[in-house]
């Protein structure tokens, strides 16, 4: 997934991936993340567009290993998503996955498994809710059953490793 473009050009990648608690770690690249967060409206009307640049950027961040950064941008999109909507549930699941990926990088497999389990619970809730008419929303572009199966496979392993992180951008249908 390439860097999403905006009216002013493509969003830059953060200068480094922030990992809390790493020895000698510097603070996160908030300046770069603020560029993406500034694209998020105060509230989305009806749905979160699957092609929204901040959402696509967050998914691309996750897939490039910027897990903490992805979570930060996803939380901004989640906050603007329609209250009680299916996309809020899906975004919560994606936030849990990005956070679990970060925990795997931090070599905390039990914490990652718990977060993958939380994401799985959100996706099962989403899958059980009646779908609205097909549109261009984020929830219509992500094959929820495939992501549920992927999470179940990860959680079925005796122990997770750094290699078990989950990419989100490749799952989303453009």
């Amino acid at each position: 997934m390439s860097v999403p473009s905006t009216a002013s050009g493509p969003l830059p990648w953060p200068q480094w991936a922030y990992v809390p608690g790493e020895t000698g770690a510097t603070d996160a690249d908030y300046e770069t993340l603020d560029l993406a967060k500034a694209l998020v409206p105060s509230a989305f009307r009806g749905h979160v567009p699957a092609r929204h640049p901040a959402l696509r950027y967050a998914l691309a961040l996750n897939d490039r290993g910027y897990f903490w950064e992805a979570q930060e941008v996803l939380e901004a999109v989640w906050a603007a998503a329609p209250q009680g909507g299916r996309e809020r549930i899906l975004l919560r699941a994606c936030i849990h996955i990005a956070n679990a990926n970060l925990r795997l990088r931090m070599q905390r497999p039990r914490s990652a498994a718990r977060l993958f389990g939380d994401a799985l619970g959100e996706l099962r809730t989403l899958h059980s809710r009646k779908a609205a008419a097909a549109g261009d929303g984020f929830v219509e572009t992500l094959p929820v059953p495939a992501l549920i199966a992927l999470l179940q496979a990860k959680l079925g392993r005796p122990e997770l490793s750094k290699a078990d992180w989950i990419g989100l951008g490749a799952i989303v249908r453009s």
Side-chain angles (χ1 to χ4, degrees), residues 10 12 51 57-58 64 68 79 85 104 112 116-117 120 128 145 157-158 164 166 169:
R51 300 193 65 61
Y57 183 66
R64 291 180 66 107
W68 185 89
L104 288 173
F116 280 157
L120 182 58
S128 70
R157 296 177 187 236
D164 287 314
I166 293 176

Side-chain angles (χ1 to χ4, degrees), residues 81-128:
Q83 294 290 324
R86 296 178 75 229
E87 279 152 345
R88 273 181 88 85
I89 298 169
L90 177 56
L91 287 162
R92 270 194 312 264
C94 291
I95 291 166
H96 289 316
I97 290 169
N99 197 0
N101 290 340
L102 177 62
R103 301 296 180 217
L104 288 173
R105 174 174 287 158
M106 296 168 68
Q107 298 183 24
R108 297 177 64 196
R110 285 190 196 108
S111 178
R114 181 186 54 80
L115 288 160
F116 280 157
D118 291 346
L120 182 58
E122 295 288 354
L123 291 171
R124 285 180 174 151
T125 298
L126 174 65
H127 194 58
S128 70

Side-chain angles (χ1 to χ4, degrees), residues 18-126:
Y18 177 64
V19 180
E22 262 192 7
T23 308
T26 57
D27 282 338
D29 185 0
Y30 290 106
E31 190 173 309
T32 300
L33 295 181
D34 287 344
L35 296 172
K37 290 179 182 182
L39 299 173
V40 179
S42 59
F44 286 101
R45 295 189 197 273
H47 67 280
V48 176
R51 300 193 65 61
H52 191 277
L55 173 61
R56 294 184 62 80
Y57 183 66
L59 299 175
L61 283 169
N62 179 78
D63 291 1
R64 291 180 66 107
Y66 295 99
F67 305 128
W68 185 89
E69 293 79 1
Q71 176 185 320
E72 286 292 304
V73 178
L74 285 168
E75 286 175 353
V77 175
W78 172 85
Q83 294 290 324
R86 296 178 75 229
E87 279 152 345
R88 273 181 88 85
I89 298 169
L90 177 56
L91 287 162
R92 270 194 312 264
C94 291
I95 291 166
H96 289 316
I97 290 169
N99 197 0
N101 290 340
L102 177 62
R103 301 296 180 217
L104 288 173
R105 174 174 287 158
M106 296 168 68
Q107 298 183 24
R108 297 177 64 196
R110 285 190 196 108
S111 178
R114 181 186 54 80
L115 288 160
F116 280 157
D118 291 346
L120 182 58
E122 295 288 354
L123 291 171
R124 285 180 174 151
T125 298
L126 174 65

